[in-house]
């Protein structure tokens, strides 16, 4: 069964999400941005969510993690919790 490892940053607005993505693309460290900005408790660990399988996260999140490009910062992804930037660390089929 497929599994993936990812980290994310959760913020309240799409505007915040886009601004953080730009900052990261310009060289800011993803983990530091997560620690400073994420509303999710995982922010304390640089946004790391560990390893998980399909169905363990909300559908919108799963769709990105199990189809997006590994190593690239993806988003904004809107879920019931807010807006996410997601970086897929690894994925196996």
């Amino acid at each position: 069964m497929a599994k993936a490892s990812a980290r994310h940053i959760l913020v309240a607005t799409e505007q915040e999400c886009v601004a953080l993505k730009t900052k990261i693309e310009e060289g800011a460290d993803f983990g530091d941005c997560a620690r400073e900005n994420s509303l999710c408790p995982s922010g304390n660990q640089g946004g790391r969510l560990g390893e998980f399988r399909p169905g363990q996260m909300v559908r919108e999140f799963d769709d990105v993690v199990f189809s997006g490009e590994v190593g690239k910062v993806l988003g904004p992804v809107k879920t019931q919790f807010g807006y996410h930037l997601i970086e897929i660390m690894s994925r196996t089929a």
Side-chain angles (χ1 to χ4, degrees):
M1 178 181 269
K3 60 184 174 180
S5 168
R7 57 186 182 168
H8 80 132
I9 300 171
L10 173 65
V11 293
T13 69
E14 186 173 13
Q15 183 178 346
E16 284 177 275
C17 204
V18 169
L20 282 170
K21 185 175 185 180
T22 299
K23 189 174 174 181
I24 291 165
E25 288 171 343
E26 292 173 349
D29 182 74
F30 190 102
D32 290 343
C33 287
R35 278 185 279 281
E36 294 165 10
N37 298 280
S38 187
L39 301 174
C40 181
S42 69
N44 294 332
Q45 290 84 44
R48 292 186 183 278
L49 296 169
E51 203 169 75
F52 53 92
R53 298 186 182 281
Q56 290 186 275
M57 302 292 178
V58 295
R59 184 185 51 80
E60 300 91 344
F61 200 94
D62 261 9
D63 288 350
V64 171
V65 170
F66 289 99
S67 68
E69 186 179 334
V70 174
K72 186 171 181 181
V73 177
L74 307 168
V77 177
K78 186 179 188 316
T79 70
Q80 67 200 44
F81 302 105
Y83 293 85
H84 305 259
L85 286 181
I86 302 169
E87 182 179 25
I88 307 162
M89 308 300 288
S90 67
R91 184 175 59 228
T92 58

